[in-house]
Amino acid sequence: MDNWTWNVAWFSDPVFLGEYPKEGLEKFAPYLPEITKEDMELIHQPLDFMGQNIYNGYMIRCGKMETGICRPRPGAAKTGTGWPVTPEALYYGIRFLTERYHLPLYITENGMSDLDNISADGQVHDSERITFLDAYLGAVQRAVNEGVPVIGYSSGHFWITLSGQKVTKSVLDLFM
């Protein structure tokens, strides 16, 4: 709850479901303006798709003995800004959003910052970003293969538009 405002439901539920999450209304009650029925009618309009930025996530451990965020394993990959590289967050984020809001999804931003080093041959080989994109596009492909309606993906540098729910060619093949 300390960083609850980053919760996707706080920003998306009013737009797609027509109401704010009750937990957020309770937690932030002293700070919120009056939210009227007219406000919600204006906020909650029919939409054809959803767009969402998904960069990373954290593994959560829930059990009888312990609940909380799992620490990344030593040496786990990070971006240039120190964010964890967690392609499974993209897969599960896609699944969560489409199951909760029942709309086709565009991943409007995903990608990584990195230090671009020029090699002795004068090229930027960018192996970290290639590995990142391979893993994250694989997560998108996994969701699409399971029938999840992902209709587009942007890394911030390029767009991939997927026609319908069925992809006849691997997303990764687009880069070969």
Side-chain angles (χ1 to χ4, degrees):
M1 289 295 285
D2 292 336
N3 199 9
W4 197 87
T5 54
W6 283 100
N7 186 316
V8 70
W10 182 249
F11 297 101
S12 298
D13 280 12
V15 174
F16 298 105
L17 302 179
E19 61 187 14
Y20 283 93
K22 289 176 182 43
E23 299 87 4
L25 291 174
E26 291 169 9
K27 179 174 177 65
F28 299 117
Y31 311 105
L32 295 174
E34 178 186 357
I35 302 169
T36 67
K37 180 181 175 188
E38 292 78 22
D39 291 335
M40 292 314 303
E41 287 173 1
L42 181 62
I43 292 168
H44 179 60
Q45 297 290 316
L47 296 170
D48 297 326
F49 63 88
M50 178 184 194
Q52 183 69 47
N53 299 352
I54 301 176
Y55 286 96
N56 62 66
Y58 296 92
M59 297 297 290
I60 302 294
R61 178 183 301 112
C62 296
K64 292 180 182 178
M65 301 299 290
E66 184 177 4
T67 299
I69 296 175
C70 300
R71 292 183 183 268
R73 66 189 183 285
K78 294 181 191 173
T79 67
T81 55
W83 291 356
V85 175
T86 53
E88 60 276 3
L90 184 56
Y91 169 77
Y92 287 109
I94 289 169
R95 293 296 307 253
F96 171 80
L97 293 167
T98 57
E99 289 172 14
R100 184 172 182 89
Y101 301 117
H102 306 286
L103 288 170
L105 180 66
Y106 281 96
I107 300 302
T108 48
E109 276 187 29
N110 171 257
M112 68 172 289
S113 64
D114 201 15
L115 301 173
D116 295 327
N117 295 308
I118 299 173
S119 297
D121 64 1
Q123 302 293 312
V124 177
H125 296 285
D126 216 2
S127 62
E128 290 85 8
R129 191 170 284 113
I130 291 167
T131 301
F132 177 96
L133 285 170
D134 182 55
Y136 276 76
L137 287 171
V140 174
Q141 185 71 59
R142 177 180 171 200
V144 169
N145 289 347
E146 293 174 3
V148 179
V150 179
I151 53 178
Y153 168 89
S154 173
S155 77
H157 301 288
F158 59 85
W159 267 97
I160 298 173
T161 303
L162 308 172
S163 58
Q165 295 182 19
K166 188 172 184 180
V167 176
T168 56
K169 190 175 186 184
S170 167
V171 174
L172 297 175
D173 291 341
L174 295 171
F175 297 97
M176 302 301 169

